[in-house]
Amino acid sequence: MAFYIIERSVEPMTEYKENEDGTDNNNNSNNNNNGNNNNGVNTFHSEEESWSYTEDISIEYAFAQSVLFKIYGGVVQETGHKTKGHLSLTDGDREIAKNMKGSLLYGELLSRGVNKALDSQHLDAASHTVLYELGMGTGKVLIQAFLQFRNLKYLFGIELSAGRYMLAEEAALKMVNLLGKDSFDIQLVSGSYIKITEKLINSNNIVDPDEKINPNQRVLHMVCGDMFTLRDIDNADIIMLETEVPQDLHAHLCKLLSRMKDGAQTLTYHDIRKIW
């Protein structure tokens, strides 16, 4: 177990606005309201404060980070409005989202945030076996959970944007190549779904090619599609829902989450109490 401390420097904070179709809304260069700079971006100055932040770092977390770094081309901690998740959007994505009244707003839960969210004080991923991510984006959270928590047997993610899904699919295939193709079975319809099953290892620490799939095998399953079409959400112990759901779809969201099994947990930035 290790700890590290981050000292935060005091810098101006900027507030960006993004449209629900994933485009940048910061083009109001003529806005002269107080607090706006020449680019129309609201700028706020935080008060100076002295603080420190400590975090548990496990070997499993460090391993997951090293793999993510390699399969995502050295870009893991992406922030701002020009991330790969933004740039990967296609015209088809925007048309589908428009027709479905969906949202393509995007922001990533960074790896340190995932580590904290899944720790024993929060979602306690180490005590569960099934994790779903609804709106998985480029797949970083799902793959980190797969690599970091070996007790998780089935990890499922779904993403509406084909562009973002393809980044997740490509990263998953790179993970397999990096960790060893012989250790996994892959079912793939590119652009639609990928299902990666980790092969069982026998008592001699050798992959047994004749071993049939059983509940002890670990599965990473990614799908390009609409989360509101899911019918097996009651399988999940943990549901990651760090995605924007427009107000018009709040009733559908409540209906979806109402099918969660007793004891299941969800992480979302929506205040469920206000929309239920």
Side-chain angles (χ1 to χ4, degrees), residues 182-184 198-211 217:
D182 293 339
S183 298
F184 302 92
E198 190 177 60
K199 295 180 181 178
L200 289 177
I201 298 177
N202 62 26
S203 59
N204 295 320
N205 205 33
I206 298 175
V207 173
D208 189 343
D210 298 322
E211 188 70 47
Q217 288 182 283

Side-chain angles (χ1 to χ4, degrees), residues 57-125:
I57 304 298
S58 65
I59 295 297
E60 293 79 11
Y61 171 70
F63 169 72
Q65 290 310 292
S66 66
V67 174
L68 288 173
F69 184 82
K70 292 177 181 178
I71 66 178
Y72 282 97
V75 183
V76 179
Q77 305 274 5
E78 285 192 285
T79 59
H81 286 245
K82 298 296 181 181
T83 69
K84 291 182 179 179
H86 291 91
L87 301 178
S88 63
L89 286 180
T90 66
D91 291 338
D93 290 336
R94 295 185 175 91
E95 186 65 24
I96 290 174
K98 180 180 179 180
N99 293 336
M100 298 175 59
K101 297 182 179 180
S103 174
L104 293 173
L105 289 175
Y106 188 72
E108 293 186 355
L109 182 60
L110 301 182
S111 54
R112 294 208 328 260
V114 176
N115 187 46
K116 185 172 183 178
L118 298 180
D119 70 17
S120 59
Q121 302 301 312
H122 298 92
L123 296 175
D124 195 16

Side-chain angles (χ1 to χ4, degrees), residues 1-274:
M1 191 71 69
F3 301 89
Y4 65 89
I5 296 175
I6 300 171
E7 297 292 349
R8 182 175 67 177
S9 59
V10 179
E11 297 177 351
M13 297 183 294
T14 56
E15 179 186 26
Y16 291 91
K17 296 179 180 179
E18 183 181 343
N19 297 316
E20 287 193 353
D21 64 358
T23 58
D24 196 344
N25 194 33
N26 297 301
N27 55 4
N28 188 15
S29 59
N30 295 321
N31 191 339
N32 293 318
N33 292 334
N34 291 335
N36 285 8
N37 62 22
N38 292 333
N39 294 321
V41 178
N42 295 327
T43 304
F44 305 92
H45 293 271
S46 61
E47 295 182 3
E48 184 173 355
E49 57 181 311
S50 177
W51 69 285
S52 61
Y53 175 72
T54 61
E55 180 179 356
D56 291 350
I57 304 298
S58 65
I59 295 297
E60 293 79 11
Y61 171 70
F63 169 72
Q65 290 310 292
S66 66
V67 174
L68 288 173
F69 184 82
K70 292 177 181 178
I71 66 178
Y72 282 97
V75 183
V76 179
Q77 305 274 5
E78 285 192 285
T79 59
H81 286 245
K82 298 296 181 181
T83 69
K84 291 182 179 179
H86 291 91
L87 301 178
S88 63
L89 286 180
T90 66
D91 291 338
D93 290 336
R94 295 185 175 91
E95 186 65 24
I96 290 174
K98 180 180 179 180
N99 293 336
M100 298 175 59
K101 297 182 179 180
S103 174
L104 293 173
L105 289 175
Y106 188 72
E108 293 186 355
L109 182 60
L110 301 182
S111 54
R112 294 208 328 260
V114 176
N115 187 46
K116 185 172 183 178
L118 298 180
D119 70 17
S120 59
Q121 302 301 312
H122 298 92
L123 296 175
D124 195 16
S127 299
H128 298 292
T129 58
V130 180
L131 182 149
Y132 277 36
E133 186 176 17
L134 311 184
M136 69 175 182
T138 62
K140 291 178 183 175
V141 172
L142 198 67
I143 293 178
Q144 178 176 339
F146 178 77
L147 294 167
Q148 187 172 343
F149 295 93
R150 292 198 56 79
N151 56 284
L152 292 175
K153 300 301 182 183
Y154 182 69
L155 298 95
F156 173 84
I158 189 167
E159 171 57 40
L160 180 64
S161 162
R164 291 168 184 164
Y165 166 80
M166 284 306 301
L167 292 178
E169 180 185 295
E170 291 167 6
L173 289 172
K174 288 179 180 178
M175 179 196 74
V176 169
N177 289 331
L178 181 66
L179 300 182
K181 292 182 180 179
D182 293 339
S183 298
F184 302 92
D185 285 319
I186 301 175
Q187 298 174 2
L188 172 65
V189 177
S190 186
S192 181
Y193 74 87
I194 183 170
K195 190 173 185 180
I196 298 172
T197 302
E198 190 177 60
K199 295 180 181 178
L200 289 177
I201 298 177
N202 62 26
S203 59
N204 295 320
N205 205 33
I206 298 175
V207 173
D208 189 343
D210 298 322
E211 188 70 47
K212 295 182 179 180
I213 294 178
N214 68 46
N216 291 321
Q217 288 182 283
R218 304 182 66 234
V219 176
L220 176 65
H221 190 185
M222 297 176 170
V223 173
C224 183
D226 178 7
M227 68 181 185
F228 293 114
T229 64
L230 294 178
R231 294 292 178 266
D232 62 350
I233 197 171
D234 56 327
N235 288 335
D237 299 312
I238 297 172
I239 296 176
M240 307 293 284
L241 185 57
E242 291 294 284
T243 188
E244 170 67 19
V245 179
Q247 186 173 355
D248 287 349
L249 297 177
H250 282 179
H252 295 280
L253 176 62
C254 292
K255 183 177 180 180
L256 178 69
L257 296 181
S258 70
R259 300 202 303 270
M260 293 170 61
K261 66 182 180 182
D262 291 343
Q265 302 177 83
T266 183
L267 174 65
T268 175
Y269 56 67
H270 288 284
D271 189 339
I272 302 298
R273 297 169 300 178
K274 293 181 179 179

